[in-house]
mmCIF file of all heavy atoms in Angstrom:
data_model
loop_
_atom_site.group_PDB
_atom_site.id
_atom_site.type_symbol
_atom_site.label_atom_id
_atom_site.label_comp_id
_atom_site.label_asym_id
_atom_site.label_seq_id
_atom_site.Cartn_x
_atom_site.Cartn_y
_atom_site.Cartn_z
ATOM 1 N N ARG G 1 83.548 87.097 101.102
ATOM 2 C CA ARG G 1 84.337 88.162 101.363
ATOM 3 C C ARG G 1 85.678 87.657 101.822
ATOM 4 O O ARG G 1 85.603 86.458 102.209
ATOM 5 C CB ARG G 1 83.721 89.267 102.222
ATOM 6 C CG ARG G 1 83.436 88.785 103.588
ATOM 7 C CD ARG G 1 82.811 89.851 104.432
ATOM 8 N NE ARG G 1 81.760 89.278 105.107
ATOM 9 C CZ ARG G 1 80.473 89.518 104.990
ATOM 10 N NH1 ARG G 1 80.080 90.572 104.193
ATOM 11 N NH2 ARG G 1 79.528 88.967 105.777
ATOM 12 N N LEU G 2 86.599 88.505 102.018
ATOM 13 C CA LEU G 2 87.877 87.934 102.529
ATOM 14 C C LEU G 2 88.026 88.526 103.958
ATOM 15 O O LEU G 2 87.452 89.558 104.280
ATOM 16 C CB LEU G 2 89.051 88.554 101.781
ATOM 17 C CG LEU G 2 89.232 88.020 100.256
ATOM 18 C CD1 LEU G 2 90.382 88.576 99.643
ATOM 19 C CD2 LEU G 2 89.327 86.313 100.287
ATOM 20 N N ARG G 3 88.707 87.688 104.772
ATOM 21 C CA ARG G 3 88.879 88.214 106.299
ATOM 22 C C ARG G 3 90.275 87.742 106.652
ATOM 23 O O ARG G 3 90.806 86.749 106.038
ATOM 24 C CB ARG G 3 87.850 87.836 107.217
ATOM 25 C CG ARG G 3 87.869 86.224 107.427
ATOM 26 C CD ARG G 3 87.071 85.864 108.574
ATOM 27 N NE ARG G 3 87.152 84.375 108.833
ATOM 28 C CZ ARG G 3 86.230 83.722 109.268
ATOM 29 N NH1 ARG G 3 85.066 84.194 109.644
ATOM 30 N NH2 ARG G 3 86.435 82.345 109.467
ATOM 31 N N GLY G 4 90.906 88.263 107.576
ATOM 32 C CA GLY G 4 92.204 87.949 108.092
ATOM 33 C C GLY G 4 92.140 86.491 108.703
ATOM 34 O O GLY G 4 91.118 86.207 109.332
ATOM 35 N N LYS G 5 93.113 85.671 108.400
ATOM 36 C CA LYS G 5 93.250 84.395 109.141
ATOM 37 C C LYS G 5 93.340 84.578 110.609
ATOM 38 O O LYS G 5 93.950 85.681 111.077
ATOM 39 C CB LYS G 5 94.311 83.655 108.598
ATOM 40 C CG LYS G 5 94.050 82.796 107.365
ATOM 41 C CD LYS G 5 95.332 81.871 107.143
ATOM 42 C CE LYS G 5 95.080 81.029 105.983
ATOM 43 N NZ LYS G 5 96.276 80.334 105.596
ATOM 44 N N ARG G 6 92.893 83.614 111.457
ATOM 45 C CA ARG G 6 93.018 83.717 112.755
ATOM 46 C C ARG G 6 94.536 83.859 113.069
ATOM 47 O O ARG G 6 95.217 83.032 112.688
ATOM 48 C CB ARG G 6 92.459 82.528 113.427
ATOM 49 C CG ARG G 6 90.969 82.258 112.991
ATOM 50 C CD ARG G 6 90.149 83.136 113.981
ATOM 51 N NE ARG G 6 88.641 82.917 113.566
ATOM 52 C CZ ARG G 6 87.735 83.834 113.221
ATOM 53 N NH1 ARG G 6 88.148 85.066 113.255
ATOM 54 N NH2 ARG G 6 86.570 83.400 112.958
ATOM 55 N N GLY G 7 94.883 84.857 113.950
ATOM 56 C CA GLY G 7 96.309 84.950 114.202
ATOM 57 C C GLY G 7 97.102 85.771 113.197
ATOM 58 O O GLY G 7 98.215 86.106 113.467
ATOM 59 N N ALA G 8 96.518 86.096 112.057
ATOM 60 C CA ALA G 8 97.253 86.835 111.098
ATOM 61 C C ALA G 8 97.121 88.302 111.523
ATOM 62 O O ALA G 8 96.113 88.831 112.100
ATOM 63 C CB ALA G 8 96.738 86.694 109.720
ATOM 64 N N ALA G 9 98.148 89.180 111.051
ATOM 65 C CA ALA G 9 98.105 90.638 111.359
ATOM 66 C C ALA G 9 97.265 91.425 110.367
ATOM 67 O O ALA G 9 97.777 92.305 109.751
ATOM 68 C CB ALA G 9 99.543 91.185 111.473
ATOM 69 N N VAL G 10 96.010 90.953 110.098
ATOM 70 C CA VAL G 10 95.160 91.650 109.096
ATOM 71 C C VAL G 10 93.798 91.881 109.860
ATOM 72 O O VAL G 10 93.370 91.051 110.568
ATOM 73 C CB VAL G 10 95.091 90.599 107.859
ATOM 74 C CG1 VAL G 10 93.950 91.301 106.870
ATOM 75 C CG2 VAL G 10 96.349 90.416 107.201
ATOM 76 N N ALA G 11 93.129 92.990 109.436
ATOM 77 C CA ALA G 11 91.937 93.266 110.079
ATOM 78 C C ALA G 11 90.952 92.164 109.815
ATOM 79 O O ALA G 11 91.010 91.484 108.682
ATOM 80 C CB ALA G 11 91.350 94.571 109.454
ATOM 81 N N GLU G 12 89.954 91.879 110.636
ATOM 82 C CA GLU G 12 89.033 90.864 110.468
ATOM 83 C C GLU G 12 88.280 90.868 109.029
ATOM 84 O O GLU G 12 88.326 89.955 108.176
ATOM 85 C CB GLU G 12 87.931 90.782 111.489
ATOM 86 C CG GLU G 12 88.269 90.231 112.776
ATOM 87 C CD GLU G 12 88.487 88.709 112.426
ATOM 88 O OE1 GLU G 12 87.539 87.967 111.962
ATOM 89 O OE2 GLU G 12 89.547 88.186 112.995
ATOM 90 N N THR G 13 87.629 92.049 108.686
ATOM 91 C CA THR G 13 87.196 92.275 107.318
ATOM 92 C C THR G 13 87.916 93.388 106.736
ATOM 93 O O THR G 13 87.559 94.540 107.003
ATOM 94 C CB THR G 13 85.695 92.406 107.270
ATOM 95 O OG1 THR G 13 85.011 91.449 107.933
ATOM 96 C CG2 THR G 13 85.178 92.622 105.923
ATOM 97 N N PRO G 14 88.924 93.118 105.908
ATOM 98 C CA PRO G 14 89.830 94.239 105.563
ATOM 99 C C PRO G 14 89.237 95.166 104.512
ATOM 100 O O PRO G 14 88.325 94.861 103.695
ATOM 101 C CB PRO G 14 91.056 93.481 104.920
ATOM 102 C CG PRO G 14 90.480 92.210 104.382
ATOM 103 C CD PRO G 14 89.369 91.800 105.541
ATOM 104 N N ILE G 15 89.636 96.385 104.533
ATOM 105 C CA ILE G 15 89.358 97.346 103.545
ATOM 106 C C ILE G 15 90.488 97.559 102.814
ATOM 107 O O ILE G 15 91.572 97.657 103.279
ATOM 108 C CB ILE G 15 88.736 98.744 104.166
ATOM 109 C CG1 ILE G 15 87.695 98.595 105.154
ATOM 110 C CG2 ILE G 15 88.739 99.852 103.110
ATOM 111 C CD1 ILE G 15 86.327 98.188 104.429
ATOM 112 N N LEU G 16 90.387 97.390 101.423
ATOM 113 C CA LEU G 16 91.588 97.499 100.544
ATOM 114 C C LEU G 16 91.841 99.118 100.315
ATOM 115 O O LEU G 16 90.959 99.664 99.680
ATOM 116 C CB LEU G 16 91.384 96.825 99.200
ATOM 117 C CG LEU G 16 91.065 95.245 99.303
ATOM 118 C CD1 LEU G 16 90.762 94.776 97.934
ATOM 119 C CD2 LEU G 16 92.302 94.675 99.945
ATOM 120 N N GLU G 17 92.956 99.530 100.850
ATOM 121 C CA GLU G 17 93.218 100.932 100.584
ATOM 122 C C GLU G 17 94.186 101.140 99.450
ATOM 123 O O GLU G 17 95.300 100.575 99.485
ATOM 124 C CB GLU G 17 93.824 101.601 101.899
ATOM 125 C CG GLU G 17 92.804 101.716 102.965
ATOM 126 C CD GLU G 17 93.254 102.508 104.071
ATOM 127 O OE1 GLU G 17 93.751 103.695 103.863
ATOM 128 O OE2 GLU G 17 93.215 102.088 105.227
ATOM 129 N N PHE G 18 93.896 101.913 98.507
ATOM 130 C CA PHE G 18 94.640 102.238 97.341
ATOM 131 C C PHE G 18 95.034 103.630 97.549
ATOM 132 O O PHE G 18 94.059 104.530 97.643
ATOM 133 C CB PHE G 18 93.881 102.088 96.015
ATOM 134 C CG PHE G 18 93.487 100.597 95.770
ATOM 135 C CD1 PHE G 18 92.269 100.160 96.215
ATOM 136 C CD2 PHE G 18 94.466 99.662 95.143
ATOM 137 C CE1 PHE G 18 91.872 98.828 95.902
ATOM 138 C CE2 PHE G 18 93.977 98.449 94.805
ATOM 139 C CZ PHE G 18 92.760 97.952 95.190
ATOM 140 N N LYS G 19 96.321 104.001 97.624
ATOM 141 C CA LYS G 19 96.718 105.297 98.047
ATOM 142 C C LYS G 19 97.985 105.854 97.453
ATOM 143 O O LYS G 19 98.781 104.999 96.934
ATOM 144 C CB LYS G 19 96.757 105.470 99.590
ATOM 145 C CG LYS G 19 97.597 104.530 100.319
ATOM 146 C CD LYS G 19 97.511 104.495 101.736
ATOM 147 C CE LYS G 19 98.339 103.481 102.395
ATOM 148 N NZ LYS G 19 98.108 103.324 103.817
ATOM 149 N N LYS G 20 98.241 107.138 97.565
ATOM 150 C CA LYS G 20 99.455 107.699 97.084
ATOM 151 C C LYS G 20 100.119 108.278 98.325
ATOM 152 O O LYS G 20 99.615 109.062 98.995
ATOM 153 C CB LYS G 20 99.026 108.878 96.187
ATOM 154 C CG LYS G 20 100.343 109.470 95.440
ATOM 155 C CD LYS G 20 99.934 110.389 94.367
ATOM 156 C CE LYS G 20 101.213 110.869 93.647
ATOM 157 N NZ LYS G 20 100.953 111.927 92.732
ATOM 158 N N GLU G 21 101.335 107.743 98.516
ATOM 159 C CA GLU G 21 102.141 108.257 99.708
ATOM 160 C C GLU G 21 103.386 108.947 98.986
ATOM 161 O O GLU G 21 104.290 108.185 98.555
ATOM 162 C CB GLU G 21 102.622 107.177 100.572
ATOM 163 C CG GLU G 21 101.303 106.483 101.300
ATOM 164 C CD GLU G 21 101.775 105.243 102.073
ATOM 165 O OE1 GLU G 21 102.808 104.554 101.837
ATOM 166 O OE2 GLU G 21 101.069 104.914 103.123
ATOM 167 N N ARG G 22 103.529 110.193 99.215
ATOM 168 C CA ARG G 22 104.639 111.002 98.654
ATOM 169 C C ARG G 22 104.634 110.600 97.166
ATOM 170 O O ARG G 22 103.890 110.973 96.305
ATOM 171 C CB ARG G 22 105.838 110.654 99.422
ATOM 172 C CG ARG G 22 105.857 111.036 100.811
ATOM 173 C CD ARG G 22 107.163 110.970 101.624
ATOM 174 N NE ARG G 22 106.869 110.903 103.097
ATOM 175 C CZ ARG G 22 107.526 110.200 103.841
ATOM 176 N NH1 ARG G 22 108.456 109.292 103.436
ATOM 177 N NH2 ARG G 22 107.209 110.165 105.065
ATOM 178 N N ASN G 23 105.759 109.944 96.751
ATOM 179 C CA ASN G 23 105.833 109.721 95.267
ATOM 180 C C ASN G 23 105.794 108.172 94.977
ATOM 181 O O ASN G 23 106.157 107.759 93.914
ATOM 182 C CB ASN G 23 107.300 110.181 94.855
ATOM 183 C CG ASN G 23 108.527 109.356 95.563
ATOM 184 O OD1 ASN G 23 108.176 108.793 96.509
ATOM 185 N ND2 ASN G 23 109.628 109.720 95.076
ATOM 186 N N ARG G 24 105.017 107.520 95.824
ATOM 187 C CA ARG G 24 104.758 106.113 95.744
ATOM 188 C C ARG G 24 103.308 105.907 95.792
ATOM 189 O O ARG G 24 102.477 106.463 96.475
ATOM 190 C CB ARG G 24 105.427 105.481 96.959
ATOM 191 C CG ARG G 24 105.453 103.877 96.881
ATOM 192 C CD ARG G 24 106.205 103.257 98.113
ATOM 193 N NE ARG G 24 104.884 102.844 98.981
ATOM 194 C CZ ARG G 24 104.999 102.164 100.012
ATOM 195 N NH1 ARG G 24 106.195 101.962 100.569
ATOM 196 N NH2 ARG G 24 103.949 101.592 100.533
ATOM 197 N N ILE G 25 102.832 104.931 94.851
ATOM 198 C CA ILE G 25 101.440 104.603 94.907
ATOM 199 C C ILE G 25 101.375 103.225 95.303
ATOM 200 O O ILE G 25 102.019 102.152 94.941
ATOM 201 C CB ILE G 25 100.916 104.641 93.315
ATOM 202 C CG1 ILE G 25 101.107 106.134 92.800
ATOM 203 C CG2 ILE G 25 99.446 104.277 93.094
ATOM 204 C CD1 ILE G 25 100.766 106.270 91.363
ATOM 205 N N VAL G 26 100.431 102.999 96.280
ATOM 206 C CA VAL G 26 100.096 101.669 96.907
ATOM 207 C C VAL G 26 98.892 100.968 96.306
ATOM 208 O O VAL G 26 97.823 101.625 96.228
ATOM 209 C CB VAL G 26 99.890 101.932 98.349
ATOM 210 C CG1 VAL G 26 99.586 100.578 99.126
ATOM 211 C CG2 VAL G 26 101.212 102.547 99.103
ATOM 212 N N GLY G 27 99.077 99.722 95.824
ATOM 213 C CA GLY G 27 98.029 98.934 95.211
ATOM 214 C C GLY G 27 97.817 97.638 95.875
ATOM 215 O O GLY G 27 98.526 97.441 96.988
ATOM 216 N N HIS G 28 97.149 96.663 95.306
ATOM 217 C CA HIS G 28 96.988 95.388 95.860
ATOM 218 C C HIS G 28 97.005 94.315 94.833
ATOM 219 O O HIS G 28 96.643 94.565 93.730
ATOM 220 C CB HIS G 28 95.734 95.334 96.734
ATOM 221 C CG HIS G 28 95.571 96.057 97.910
ATOM 222 N ND1 HIS G 28 96.059 95.698 99.067
ATOM 223 C CD2 HIS G 28 95.226 97.362 98.159
ATOM 224 C CE1 HIS G 28 95.823 96.680 100.028
ATOM 225 N NE2 HIS G 28 95.343 97.653 99.375
ATOM 226 N N THR G 29 97.430 93.142 95.286
ATOM 227 C CA THR G 29 97.421 91.885 94.496
ATOM 228 C C THR G 29 96.745 90.876 95.398
ATOM 229 O O THR G 29 97.113 90.612 96.525
ATOM 230 C CB THR G 29 98.914 91.382 94.176
ATOM 231 O OG1 THR G 29 99.433 92.489 93.349
ATOM 232 C CG2 THR G 29 98.786 90.181 93.353
ATOM 233 N N LEU G 30 95.701 90.206 94.677
ATOM 234 C CA LEU G 30 94.990 89.121 95.307
ATOM 235 C C LEU G 30 95.232 87.912 94.564
ATOM 236 O O LEU G 30 95.329 87.877 93.340
ATOM 237 C CB LEU G 30 93.495 89.394 95.357
ATOM 238 C CG LEU G 30 93.046 90.688 96.248
ATOM 239 C CD1 LEU G 30 91.374 90.773 95.877
ATOM 240 C CD2 LEU G 30 93.366 90.570 97.509
ATOM 241 N N SER G 31 95.369 86.695 95.399
ATOM 242 C CA SER G 31 95.554 85.367 94.697
ATOM 243 C C SER G 31 94.339 84.498 95.288
ATOM 244 O O SER G 31 94.385 84.267 96.505
ATOM 245 C CB SER G 31 96.897 84.867 95.070
ATOM 246 O OG SER G 31 96.972 83.575 94.499
ATOM 247 N N PHE G 32 93.642 84.022 94.264
ATOM 248 C CA PHE G 32 92.610 83.058 94.700
ATOM 249 C C PHE G 32 93.088 81.658 94.261
ATOM 250 O O PHE G 32 92.407 80.737 94.060
ATOM 251 C CB PHE G 32 91.228 83.251 94.042
ATOM 252 C CG PHE G 32 90.619 84.629 94.468
ATOM 253 C CD1 PHE G 32 90.215 85.603 93.656
ATOM 254 C CD2 PHE G 32 90.371 84.719 95.971
ATOM 255 C CE1 PHE G 32 89.662 86.725 94.129
ATOM 256 C CE2 PHE G 32 89.831 85.951 96.376
ATOM 257 C CZ PHE G 32 89.491 86.944 95.435
ATOM 258 N N GLU G 33 94.335 81.453 94.299
ATOM 259 C CA GLU G 33 94.945 80.131 93.879
ATOM 260 C C GLU G 33 95.037 79.150 94.979
ATOM 261 O O GLU G 33 95.378 78.084 94.806
ATOM 262 C CB GLU G 33 96.280 80.390 93.313
ATOM 263 C CG GLU G 33 96.262 81.230 92.060
ATOM 264 C CD GLU G 33 97.564 81.616 91.428
ATOM 265 O OE1 GLU G 33 98.492 82.001 92.150
ATOM 266 O OE2 GLU G 33 97.735 81.431 90.186
ATOM 267 N N GLY G 34 94.737 79.513 96.247
ATOM 268 C CA GLY G 34 94.756 78.707 97.340
ATOM 269 C C GLY G 34 96.158 78.390 97.853
ATOM 270 O O GLY G 34 97.016 77.868 97.158
ATOM 271 N N SER G 35 96.500 78.982 99.090
ATOM 272 C CA SER G 35 97.811 78.825 99.596
ATOM 273 C C SER G 35 97.712 78.582 101.079
ATOM 274 O O SER G 35 96.963 79.276 101.725
ATOM 275 C CB SER G 35 98.618 80.122 99.254
ATOM 276 O OG SER G 35 99.858 80.118 99.966
ATOM 277 N N GLY G 36 98.430 77.663 101.637
ATOM 278 C CA GLY G 36 98.292 77.332 102.951
ATOM 279 C C GLY G 36 98.936 78.379 103.808
ATOM 280 O O GLY G 36 98.635 78.518 105.059
ATOM 281 N N ASP G 37 99.907 79.097 103.296
ATOM 282 C CA ASP G 37 100.556 80.156 103.974
ATOM 283 C C ASP G 37 99.988 81.541 103.748
ATOM 284 O O ASP G 37 100.602 82.545 104.202
ATOM 285 C CB ASP G 37 102.108 79.996 103.860
ATOM 286 C CG ASP G 37 102.454 80.391 102.464
ATOM 287 O OD1 ASP G 37 101.553 80.354 101.472
ATOM 288 O OD2 ASP G 37 103.677 80.648 102.103
ATOM 289 N N GLY G 38 98.809 81.625 103.169
ATOM 290 C CA GLY G 38 98.301 83.058 102.826
ATOM 291 C C GLY G 38 97.781 83.704 104.028
ATOM 292 O O GLY G 38 97.717 83.119 105.055
ATOM 293 N N ASN G 39 97.599 84.971 104.083
ATOM 294 C CA ASN G 39 97.235 85.731 105.184
ATOM 295 C C ASN G 39 95.699 85.979 105.339
ATOM 296 O O ASN G 39 95.204 86.712 106.105
ATOM 297 C CB ASN G 39 98.020 86.931 105.275
ATOM 298 C CG ASN G 39 97.699 87.992 104.079
ATOM 299 O OD1 ASN G 39 97.079 87.537 103.102
ATOM 300 N ND2 ASN G 39 98.260 89.186 104.278
ATOM 301 N N MET G 40 94.867 85.466 104.316
ATOM 302 C CA MET G 40 93.550 85.762 104.151
ATOM 303 C C MET G 40 92.779 84.517 104.043
ATOM 304 O O MET G 40 93.308 83.422 103.628
ATOM 305 C CB MET G 40 93.106 86.654 103.087
ATOM 306 C CG MET G 40 93.981 87.929 102.892
ATOM 307 S SD MET G 40 93.427 89.096 104.177
ATOM 308 C CE MET G 40 92.113 89.810 103.397
ATOM 309 N N GLU G 41 91.537 84.500 104.438
ATOM 310 C CA GLU G 41 90.603 83.362 104.039
ATOM 311 C C GLU G 41 89.171 83.770 103.660
ATOM 312 O O GLU G 41 88.891 85.022 103.897
ATOM 313 C CB GLU G 41 90.441 82.308 105.339
ATOM 314 C CG GLU G 41 89.878 83.089 106.662
ATOM 315 C CD GLU G 41 89.966 82.303 107.880
ATOM 316 O OE1 GLU G 41 90.575 81.150 107.838
ATOM 317 O OE2 GLU G 41 89.547 82.645 108.905
ATOM 318 N N GLN G 42 88.427 82.902 103.102
ATOM 319 C CA GLN G 42 87.094 83.206 102.555
ATOM 320 C C GLN G 42 86.002 83.170 103.715
ATOM 321 O O GLN G 42 86.020 82.295 104.382
ATOM 322 C CB GLN G 42 86.752 82.400 101.444
ATOM 323 C CG GLN G 42 87.679 82.517 100.261
ATOM 324 C CD GLN G 42 87.327 81.580 99.055
ATOM 325 O OE1 GLN G 42 86.292 80.928 99.073
ATOM 326 N NE2 GLN G 42 88.250 81.607 98.111
#
């Protein structure tokens, strides 16, 4: 599963929220390409 990196501003075990805010739809993009500056870890 994914969790926030130590010191990152992400919940330990995040819940992906897909929502509609006014006239905007919020989604998510995940990258398993490996990045040193990413905000999540496995």
Side-chain angles (χ1 to χ4, degrees):
R1 64 182 134 243
L2 298 179
R3 71 170 182 211
K5 275 187 173 178
R6 306 281 180 227
V10 176
E12 276 299 306
T13 303
I15 299 296
L16 300 178
E17 289 192 53
F18 297 90
K19 55 190 171 184
K20 186 174 183 180
E21 294 178 334
R22 297 184 199 145
N23 60 352
R24 192 180 103 174
I25 298 171
V26 178
H28 290 276
T29 298
L30 299 177
S31 174
F32 294 123
E33 295 176 316
S35 171
D37 60 345
N39 60 348
M40 307 290 273
E41 60 189 4
Q42 297 176 8

